[in-house]
Amino acid sequence: MNFSTGTSRRRFLAGSAAAVGGFSLGFHIPAGDAAAQTPARPEINAWVVIRPDETVVIRVARIDMGQGTVTGLAQLVAEELECDWAKVTTEYPTPGQNLARNRVWGNFQTAGSQGIRQSQDYVRKGGAAARMMLIEAAAQSWKVPASECRVAAGVITHTPSGRSTTYGKVADAAAKLDPPKDIVLKDPKSWTIAGRPLPRLDTADKVDGRKVFGIDLVLPGMVNAAIKACPVFGGKLRGFDPASVAGRSGVKKVVAVGDNAVAVIADTWWHAQSALDALRIDWDEGPNARSSSATTAAMLREGLTAKEVFVGNQAGDPDAALAAAAKTVEATYSVPHQHHATMEPMNATARWSGGLDKVEVWCPTQNGESALATAAAASGLPPQQCEVYRIDLGGGFGRRATSHDYVRQAVLIAKEMPGVPVKLIWSREEDMLHGWYHPVTMCKLTGGLDAQGNLTALKMRISGQSILAGVNPNALQNGRDPITFQGLNPSGTEGRLGYAIPNLLIDHAMRNPPVPPGFWRGVNNNQNAVYLECFIDELAHAAGQDPLAFRRRMLGGSPKHLAVLDAVAERAGWSKPAPAGTFRGIAQHMGYGSYVAACAEISMTSSGQVKIHRIIAATDCGHVVNPQQVAAQIEGSFAYGLSAMLMQEITIKDGRVEQENFDTYPCLLLQDMPAVESIIMPSGDFWGGVGEPTIFVAAPAVLNAIFAATGKRIRDLPLKNHDLRKA
């Protein structure tokens, strides 16, 4: 089936720390804790609570940042539960509760387009198990076999006698039953709740303002904090002069935070920030004060010819094949550092209860367990004495998964004000200067064509930053960063190269400048798709072939790659000439388990301004839980990816970021957003992600269209740095 589209305040689960007999999905539930013996009734299992008024509470451990994950997971649970969707609400268990229940809810992280695809199996089993227990409770009350009972919309009926009851009436009895051992999930072809474009559960709360984001949180007796860290990466705090802000309105305290930052605590955030701006601070900028974008570029250029590299994909003998080629093509591309630029800057609220040896944190996060671990480390307390309450996020894009530096700072500041909630908010400038940035890379590509225009060899040297080296060095594989090769892998389900190229070498010269790297929406797939798909276009042009036909010849062994490519070409009318003054570009890629392609249609003004009129995007993500949410994610990914391609770059001068706000780091405006036509074509035999994949093909599709329009190859982003007047 193809889908085609055109252009309450969060309740926290106090009192439900653990439950004996809860459906544990393979996790052992310890029974020594007093709280573990007093489950919240009527909890059917960890995922489902049925209240006497028939309200169905579905617990969701993943995070919703606007992508619809909570609604999608609730649909999957409700589908197996066979409840009344109109009675569904959701709750978010805390990571402290997850720890107390031996991680019964599993992974709390929402990143890498994993929210649904990596939890769908066990949440569906949670819903199915609850349904079986509810039916069994009804059957026992009637003294009939459960096999004689059926359920629809939360009403259980004994088929032979016609007797019926509701989930709410049998929930307490069901909660006392042992969970079933054999659980059979429904065939997605029979779905009635999942698979439908149901409205999101959080829309009304966002529209009427009931949603509370981290920056909005107010607690009784709360004070506010503003912070500045050394603007040079790796620099330290040498000292500061509290007397320079003594007597300023509302100021309560000026404190050092770690070894590289200083914060002002005041009655309001504005008083805190104003005092911080007036505070005399002495920084030790360290050796990185001499670093710049120019020194980074030189480092990367050296890596393009380095001998010591990590290999990601290889086949045949590319050197021999290139030497024998009838024609060779060579090009070097680059992508700069880029910022997450979340609408809501980093923030967290913390309360240190010194006498009770307890820390509580309220924060926007993409991984509650990581935030809990950070709070524990900053406080010096065991995780069991800490708790994190997730507050809604004003944007994540990977920033609130890569690091919880803002949580660490909030806890350290709160320790200076025992018993008092302290809300830390970074200024926009602080947020821009202290991100975890999309890695900077260069890529040199060399291709060889035979006399018939077939691609016989490809060498692809990536020189640049490793995210894992900066974020999690323990995950490196003998020094190699495997995620550098996203979308270029020889096999696997995450990001396989679809093209059949007989002689191939893709390698990585790791070069790490002092700018901290992070997981930025789409991660390394973004630049890898630009490098490969734009160079494939160059090769097609050199071979004198149509870019679509050139690709199709190499995708015969990759039917899913080919299917999405064909879908966008057909919708765009690729086989027919584009309207006068309109030019097309095409691209395909595979990442996070999904297959994506795009065709962009653009025009150019005489002054070299590009207008992107339409982007057609095809996605095969295997299964679709909510097609409307998938379409929304596709549209949002193009807004994000095109912003980066057109105008966004982080540059470094004297060891610090030059862009401090949206005036120098702009985003795509509504008036410049193209019409997006989404073709959702799930093939049904796997689970892929949807939050990130289509961002991969945004830039290469447009860049290839620009070449068709101007004859110019843009190999260095962003576009704003180039003269696009026709060659």
Side-chain angles (χ1 to χ4, degrees), residues 328-383:
T328 59
V329 180
E330 185 174 290
T332 299
Y333 286 76
S334 68
V335 170
H337 284 117
Q338 291 160 333
H339 196 276
H340 293 85
T342 60
M343 184 61 68
E344 178 192 32
M346 300 303 107
N347 67 87
T349 299
R351 179 165 57 201
W352 164 265
S353 301
L356 300 175
D357 282 336
K358 182 179 181 181
V359 165
E360 296 170 283
V361 175
W362 295 257
C363 67
T365 173
Q366 291 179 242
N367 188 341
E369 290 182 300
S370 177
L372 180 68
T374 300
S379 67
L381 297 173

Short mmCIF file of all heavy atoms in Angstrom, two decimals, residues 328-383:
data_model
loop_
_atom_site.label_atom_id
_atom_site.label_comp_id
_atom_site.label_asym_id
_atom_site.label_seq_id
_atom_site.Cartn_x
_atom_site.Cartn_y
_atom_site.Cartn_z
N THR A 328 38.41 9.14 -16.20
CA THR A 328 38.35 9.28 -14.74
C THR A 328 37.80 10.66 -14.39
O THR A 328 38.01 11.63 -15.11
CB THR A 328 39.73 9.10 -14.08
OG1 THR A 328 40.64 10.07 -14.61
CG2 THR A 328 40.27 7.70 -14.32
N VAL A 329 37.10 10.71 -13.29
CA VAL A 329 36.51 11.95 -12.78
C VAL A 329 36.92 12.08 -11.32
O VAL A 329 36.89 11.11 -10.57
CB VAL A 329 34.97 11.93 -12.89
CG1 VAL A 329 34.37 13.22 -12.36
CG2 VAL A 329 34.55 11.68 -14.34
N GLU A 330 37.30 13.30 -10.92
CA GLU A 330 37.74 13.53 -9.54
C GLU A 330 37.10 14.80 -9.02
O GLU A 330 36.97 15.80 -9.75
CB GLU A 330 39.26 13.62 -9.47
CG GLU A 330 39.81 13.75 -8.06
CD GLU A 330 41.33 13.69 -8.02
OE1 GLU A 330 41.88 12.59 -8.26
OE2 GLU A 330 41.95 14.75 -7.78
N ALA A 331 36.68 14.79 -7.77
CA ALA A 331 36.08 15.98 -7.15
C ALA A 331 36.27 15.91 -5.65
O ALA A 331 36.38 14.82 -5.06
CB ALA A 331 34.60 16.08 -7.49
N THR A 332 36.32 17.07 -5.01
CA THR A 332 36.41 17.16 -3.55
C THR A 332 35.25 18.00 -3.03
O THR A 332 35.03 19.12 -3.51
CB THR A 332 37.75 17.78 -3.11
OG1 THR A 332 38.82 16.96 -3.57
CG2 THR A 332 37.82 17.88 -1.59
N TYR A 333 34.55 17.45 -2.07
CA TYR A 333 33.40 18.11 -1.46
C TYR A 333 33.70 18.38 0.02
O TYR A 333 34.60 17.77 0.61
CB TYR A 333 32.15 17.21 -1.55
CG TYR A 333 31.52 17.13 -2.91
CD1 TYR A 333 32.10 16.36 -3.93
CD2 TYR A 333 30.34 17.81 -3.19
CE1 TYR A 333 31.50 16.27 -5.19
CE2 TYR A 333 29.74 17.73 -4.44
CZ TYR A 333 30.32 16.96 -5.43
OH TYR A 333 29.74 16.88 -6.68
N SER A 334 32.91 19.28 0.61
CA SER A 334 33.06 19.52 2.05
C SER A 334 31.75 20.02 2.65
O SER A 334 30.93 20.64 1.97
CB SER A 334 34.18 20.54 2.33
OG SER A 334 33.82 21.82 1.88
N VAL A 335 31.58 19.71 3.93
CA VAL A 335 30.42 20.16 4.72
C VAL A 335 30.95 20.74 6.02
O VAL A 335 31.81 20.15 6.67
CB VAL A 335 29.46 18.98 4.99
CG1 VAL A 335 28.40 19.37 6.01
CG2 VAL A 335 28.80 18.53 3.70
N PRO A 336 30.45 21.94 6.43
CA PRO A 336 31.00 22.60 7.61
C PRO A 336 30.38 22.10 8.91
O PRO A 336 29.46 21.27 8.92
CB PRO A 336 30.59 24.07 7.37
CG PRO A 336 29.26 23.96 6.70
CD PRO A 336 29.38 22.74 5.80
N HIS A 337 30.89 22.62 10.03
CA HIS A 337 30.20 22.44 11.29
C HIS A 337 28.83 23.11 11.21
O HIS A 337 28.68 24.16 10.56
CB HIS A 337 30.98 23.10 12.44
CG HIS A 337 32.18 22.32 12.88
ND1 HIS A 337 33.46 22.80 12.77
CD2 HIS A 337 32.29 21.10 13.45
CE1 HIS A 337 34.32 21.92 13.26
NE2 HIS A 337 33.63 20.87 13.67
N GLN A 338 27.84 22.51 11.86
CA GLN A 338 26.50 23.10 11.91
C GLN A 338 25.92 22.90 13.31
O GLN A 338 26.28 21.96 14.02
CB GLN A 338 25.59 22.45 10.85
CG GLN A 338 25.98 22.83 9.43
CD GLN A 338 25.46 21.87 8.38
OE1 GLN A 338 25.24 20.69 8.65
NE2 GLN A 338 25.27 22.36 7.17
N HIS A 339 25.04 23.81 13.68
CA HIS A 339 24.48 23.83 15.03
C HIS A 339 23.08 23.23 15.02
O HIS A 339 22.36 23.32 14.03
CB HIS A 339 24.43 25.27 15.54
CG HIS A 339 24.23 25.40 17.02
ND1 HIS A 339 22.98 25.35 17.60
CD2 HIS A 339 25.12 25.57 18.03
CE1 HIS A 339 23.11 25.48 18.92
NE2 HIS A 339 24.39 25.61 19.21
N HIS A 340 22.67 22.65 16.14
CA HIS A 340 21.32 22.10 16.24
C HIS A 340 20.26 23.19 16.20
O HIS A 340 19.17 22.98 15.67
CB HIS A 340 21.16 21.29 17.53
CG HIS A 340 21.99 20.04 17.57
ND1 HIS A 340 23.31 20.04 17.99
CD2 HIS A 340 21.70 18.76 17.26
CE1 HIS A 340 23.79 18.80 17.93
NE2 HIS A 340 22.83 18.00 17.49
N ALA A 341 20.56 24.33 16.78
CA ALA A 341 19.67 25.50 16.75
C ALA A 341 18.25 25.17 17.17
O ALA A 341 17.28 25.51 16.49
CB ALA A 341 19.69 26.15 15.36
N THR A 342 18.10 24.49 18.30
CA THR A 342 16.77 24.22 18.82
C THR A 342 16.10 25.53 19.19
O THR A 342 16.76 26.47 19.66
CB THR A 342 16.83 23.31 20.05
OG1 THR A 342 17.60 23.97 21.07
CG2 THR A 342 17.47 21.98 19.72
N MET A 343 14.78 25.61 19.00
CA MET A 343 14.07 26.84 19.33
C MET A 343 14.21 27.17 20.81
O MET A 343 14.37 28.33 21.19
CB MET A 343 12.59 26.71 18.94
CG MET A 343 11.79 27.98 19.16
SD MET A 343 12.42 29.37 18.19
CE MET A 343 11.99 28.81 16.53
N GLU A 344 14.16 26.16 21.65
CA GLU A 344 14.33 26.35 23.09
C GLU A 344 15.79 26.10 23.45
O GLU A 344 16.30 25.01 23.23
CB GLU A 344 13.43 25.37 23.86
CG GLU A 344 13.57 25.45 25.36
CD GLU A 344 12.89 24.27 26.06
OE1 GLU A 344 12.87 23.16 25.48
OE2 GLU A 344 12.41 24.46 27.18
N PRO A 345 16.48 27.10 24.01
CA PRO A 345 17.87 26.86 24.41
C PRO A 345 17.96 25.86 25.57
O PRO A 345 16.95 25.51 26.19
CB PRO A 345 18.36 28.26 24.83
CG PRO A 345 17.12 29.01 25.19
CD PRO A 345 16.04 28.47 24.30
N MET A 346 19.17 25.41 25.86
CA MET A 346 19.36 24.42 26.91
C MET A 346 18.90 24.97 28.26
O MET A 346 19.13 26.14 28.58
CB MET A 346 20.82 23.98 26.99
CG MET A 346 21.38 23.37 25.72
SD MET A 346 20.47 21.92 25.13
CE MET A 346 19.63 22.61 23.72
N ASN A 347 18.26 24.11 29.04
CA ASN A 347 17.80 24.52 30.36
C ASN A 347 17.52 23.29 31.21
O ASN A 347 17.26 22.20 30.69
CB ASN A 347 16.54 25.38 30.26
CG ASN A 347 15.34 24.61 29.75
OD1 ASN A 347 14.61 24.00 30.52
ND2 ASN A 347 15.13 24.62 28.42
N ALA A 348 17.56 23.48 32.51
CA ALA A 348 17.20 22.43 33.45
C ALA A 348 16.92 23.08 34.80
O ALA A 348 17.52 24.10 35.14
CB ALA A 348 18.30 21.39 33.58
N THR A 349 16.03 22.47 35.56
CA THR A 349 15.74 22.91 36.92
C THR A 349 16.15 21.80 37.87
O THR A 349 15.83 20.62 37.64
CB THR A 349 14.25 23.22 37.09
OG1 THR A 349 13.88 24.27 36.19
CG2 THR A 349 13.93 23.66 38.51
N ALA A 350 16.88 22.16 38.93
CA ALA A 350 17.37 21.16 39.87
C ALA A 350 17.11 21.60 41.31
O ALA A 350 17.12 22.80 41.62
CB ALA A 350 18.86 20.91 39.66
N ARG A 351 16.88 20.60 42.15
CA ARG A 351 16.74 20.87 43.60
C ARG A 351 17.61 19.88 44.35
O ARG A 351 17.47 18.66 44.18
CB ARG A 351 15.28 20.75 44.04
CG ARG A 351 15.10 20.98 45.56
CD ARG A 351 13.65 21.22 45.91
NE ARG A 351 12.80 20.12 45.49
CZ ARG A 351 11.49 20.24 45.30
NH1 ARG A 351 10.89 21.41 45.48
NH2 ARG A 351 10.77 19.19 44.91
N TRP A 352 18.52 20.42 45.13
CA TRP A 352 19.43 19.62 45.95
C TRP A 352 18.91 19.62 47.38
O TRP A 352 18.92 20.65 48.04
CB TRP A 352 20.84 20.20 45.88
CG TRP A 352 21.79 19.70 46.93
CD1 TRP A 352 22.07 20.30 48.12
CD2 TRP A 352 22.57 18.52 46.89
NE1 TRP A 352 22.98 19.56 48.82
CE2 TRP A 352 23.31 18.47 48.09
CE3 TRP A 352 22.72 17.50 45.95
CZ2 TRP A 352 24.18 17.43 48.38
CZ3 TRP A 352 23.61 16.46 46.24
CH2 TRP A 352 24.33 16.43 47.43
N SER A 353 18.43 18.49 47.85
CA SER A 353 17.94 18.37 49.23
C SER A 353 19.07 17.77 50.05
O SER A 353 19.13 16.55 50.26
CB SER A 353 16.68 17.50 49.28
OG SER A 353 15.67 18.05 48.47
N GLY A 354 19.97 18.64 50.48
CA GLY A 354 21.20 18.19 51.13
C GLY A 354 20.95 17.30 52.33
O GLY A 354 21.57 16.25 52.49
N GLY A 355 20.01 17.70 53.19
CA GLY A 355 19.75 16.92 54.39
C GLY A 355 19.15 15.57 54.10
O GLY A 355 19.31 14.62 54.87
N LEU A 356 18.48 15.46 52.95
CA LEU A 356 17.85 14.19 52.57
C LEU A 356 18.71 13.38 51.62
O LEU A 356 18.33 12.27 51.25
CB LEU A 356 16.49 14.47 51.92
CG LEU A 356 15.45 15.20 52.77
CD1 LEU A 356 14.21 15.50 51.95
CD2 LEU A 356 15.10 14.38 54.00
N ASP A 357 19.85 13.95 51.23
CA ASP A 357 20.71 13.30 50.23
C ASP A 357 19.91 12.90 49.01
O ASP A 357 19.87 11.73 48.59
CB ASP A 357 21.40 12.06 50.83
CG ASP A 357 22.58 12.44 51.71
OD1 ASP A 357 23.12 13.54 51.51
OD2 ASP A 357 22.93 11.65 52.59
N LYS A 358 19.27 13.89 48.40
CA LYS A 358 18.42 13.63 47.25
C LYS A 358 18.56 14.77 46.25
O LYS A 358 18.68 15.93 46.62
CB LYS A 358 16.95 13.51 47.68
CG LYS A 358 15.99 13.19 46.56
CD LYS A 358 14.56 13.06 47.07
CE LYS A 358 13.59 12.74 45.95
NZ LYS A 358 12.19 12.63 46.42
N VAL A 359 18.55 14.41 44.96
CA VAL A 359 18.58 15.39 43.89
C VAL A 359 17.41 15.12 42.95
O VAL A 359 17.17 13.97 42.56
CB VAL A 359 19.90 15.34 43.10
CG1 VAL A 359 19.78 16.09 41.78
CG2 VAL A 359 21.03 15.95 43.91
N GLU A 360 16.70 16.18 42.60
CA GLU A 360 15.63 16.09 41.62
C GLU A 360 15.93 17.06 40.48
O GLU A 360 16.38 18.19 40.72
CB GLU A 360 14.28 16.47 42.25
CG GLU A 360 13.84 15.53 43.35
CD GLU A 360 12.65 16.09 44.08
OE1 GLU A 360 12.85 17.00 44.91
OE2 GLU A 360 11.52 15.62 43.82
N VAL A 361 15.67 16.61 39.27
CA VAL A 361 15.92 17.43 38.08
C VAL A 361 14.68 17.40 37.20
O VAL A 361 14.11 16.32 36.96
CB VAL A 361 17.15 16.93 37.29
CG1 VAL A 361 17.31 17.73 36.00
CG2 VAL A 361 18.41 17.03 38.14
N TRP A 362 14.27 18.57 36.73
CA TRP A 362 13.20 18.70 35.75
C TRP A 362 13.85 19.24 34.48
O TRP A 362 14.45 20.32 34.50
CB TRP A 362 12.14 19.68 36.23
CG TRP A 362 11.38 19.26 37.46
CD1 TRP A 362 10.13 18.75 37.48
CD2 TRP A 362 11.80 19.35 38.84
NE1 TRP A 362 9.73 18.50 38.79
CE2 TRP A 362 10.74 18.86 39.63
CE3 TRP A 362 12.98 19.78 39.47
CZ2 TRP A 362 10.82 18.79 41.03
CZ3 TRP A 362 13.06 19.72 40.85
CH2 TRP A 362 11.99 19.23 41.61
N CYS A 363 13.77 18.51 33.38
CA CYS A 363 14.51 18.98 32.21
C CYS A 363 13.96 18.42 30.91
O CYS A 363 13.39 17.33 30.88
CB CYS A 363 16.00 18.62 32.32
SG CYS A 363 16.33 16.84 32.22
N PRO A 364 14.14 19.15 29.82
CA PRO A 364 13.92 18.58 28.49
C PRO A 364 15.10 17.66 28.17
O PRO A 364 16.25 18.05 28.35
CB PRO A 364 13.92 19.81 27.56
CG PRO A 364 13.93 21.01 28.47
CD PRO A 364 14.54 20.56 29.74
N THR A 365 14.82 16.45 27.75
CA THR A 365 15.88 15.50 27.45
C THR A 365 15.41 14.50 26.41
O THR A 365 14.22 14.19 26.33
CB THR A 365 16.32 14.74 28.72
OG1 THR A 365 17.25 13.70 28.36
CG2 THR A 365 15.14 14.10 29.43
N GLN A 366 16.33 14.00 25.62
CA GLN A 366 16.03 12.91 24.69
C GLN A 366 16.36 11.56 25.28
O GLN A 366 16.15 10.53 24.65
CB GLN A 366 16.81 13.10 23.38
CG GLN A 366 16.34 14.29 22.55
CD GLN A 366 17.13 14.45 21.28
OE1 GLN A 366 17.78 15.47 21.08
NE2 GLN A 366 17.09 13.47 20.39
N ASN A 367 16.90 11.56 26.50
CA ASN A 367 17.27 10.30 27.14
C ASN A 367 17.24 10.49 28.65
O ASN A 367 18.21 10.95 29.25
CB ASN A 367 18.64 9.83 26.69
CG ASN A 367 18.99 8.43 27.19
OD1 ASN A 367 18.38 7.94 28.14
ND2 ASN A 367 19.95 7.79 26.55
N GLY A 368 16.11 10.15 29.26
CA GLY A 368 15.97 10.35 30.69
C GLY A 368 16.98 9.59 31.51
O GLY A 368 17.43 10.07 32.56
N GLU A 369 17.37 8.41 31.07
CA GLU A 369 18.35 7.63 31.83
C GLU A 369 19.72 8.28 31.79
O GLU A 369 20.45 8.29 32.79
CB GLU A 369 18.41 6.22 31.28
CG GLU A 369 17.16 5.39 31.56
CD GLU A 369 17.28 3.97 31.05
OE1 GLU A 369 17.47 3.79 29.84
OE2 GLU A 369 17.20 3.04 31.88
N SER A 370 20.08 8.85 30.66
CA SER A 370 21.36 9.56 30.58
C SER A 370 21.33 10.80 31.46
O SER A 370 22.32 11.14 32.12
CB SER A 370 21.65 9.94 29.12
OG SER A 370 22.84 10.68 29.02
N ALA A 371 20.20 11.51 31.47
CA ALA A 371 20.06 12.67 32.34
C ALA A 371 20.17 12.27 33.80
O ALA A 371 20.79 12.98 34.62
CB ALA A 371 18.74 13.37 32.07
N LEU A 372 19.58 11.12 34.16
CA LEU A 372 19.67 10.62 35.53
C LEU A 372 21.12 10.30 35.90
O LEU A 372 21.58 10.65 37.00
CB LEU A 372 18.79 9.38 35.68
CG LEU A 372 18.77 8.73 37.07
CD1 LEU A 372 18.08 9.63 38.07
CD2 LEU A 372 18.07 7.37 37.01
N ALA A 373 21.84 9.65 34.99
CA ALA A 373 23.24 9.32 35.25
C ALA A 373 24.07 10.59 35.42
O ALA A 373 24.96 10.66 36.27
CB ALA A 373 23.80 8.47 34.12
N THR A 374 23.78 11.61 34.61
CA THR A 374 24.49 12.88 34.71
C THR A 374 24.22 13.55 36.04
O THR A 374 25.13 14.08 36.70
CB THR A 374 24.09 13.81 33.56
OG1 THR A 374 24.41 13.18 32.31
CG2 THR A 374 24.81 15.14 33.65
N ALA A 375 22.95 13.54 36.47
CA ALA A 375 22.59 14.14 37.76
C ALA A 375 23.28 13.43 38.91
O ALA A 375 23.77 14.07 39.85
CB ALA A 375 21.07 14.11 37.93
N ALA A 376 23.35 12.11 38.81
CA ALA A 376 24.01 11.34 39.86
C ALA A 376 25.50 11.67 39.92
O ALA A 376 26.06 11.87 41.01
CB ALA A 376 23.79 9.85 39.63
N ALA A 377 26.14 11.74 38.76
CA ALA A 377 27.57 12.03 38.73
C ALA A 377 27.85 13.43 39.28
O ALA A 377 28.82 13.64 40.02
CB ALA A 377 28.09 11.88 37.31
N ALA A 378 27.03 14.39 38.91
CA ALA A 378 27.25 15.78 39.35
C ALA A 378 27.01 15.92 40.85
O ALA A 378 27.68 16.71 41.52
CB ALA A 378 26.34 16.72 38.57
N SER A 379 26.05 15.17 41.37
CA SER A 379 25.71 15.30 42.79
C SER A 379 26.60 14.47 43.69
O SER A 379 26.72 14.74 44.88
CB SER A 379 24.26 14.87 43.01
OG SER A 379 24.09 13.48 42.76
N GLY A 380 27.21 13.42 43.12
CA GLY A 380 27.98 12.51 43.93
C GLY A 380 27.13 11.49 44.65
O GLY A 380 27.63 10.75 45.51
N LEU A 381 25.85 11.44 44.33
CA LEU A 381 24.93 10.50 44.95
C LEU A 381 24.69 9.30 44.04
O LEU A 381 24.84 9.41 42.82
CB LEU A 381 23.59 11.18 45.23
CG LEU A 381 23.60 12.35 46.21
CD1 LEU A 381 22.23 13.01 46.25
CD2 LEU A 381 24.00 11.88 47.61
N PRO A 382 24.29 8.16 44.59
CA PRO A 382 23.93 7.03 43.73
C PRO A 382 22.66 7.36 42.95
O PRO A 382 21.82 8.15 43.41
CB PRO A 382 23.70 5.89 44.71
CG PRO A 382 23.43 6.54 46.02
CD PRO A 382 24.20 7.83 46.03
N PRO A 383 22.49 6.76 41.78
CA PRO A 383 21.30 7.07 40.97
C PRO A 383 19.99 6.82 41.70
O PRO A 383 18.99 7.48 41.43
CB PRO A 383 21.45 6.13 39.77
CG PRO A 383 22.91 5.84 39.68
CD PRO A 383 23.40 5.84 41.09
#
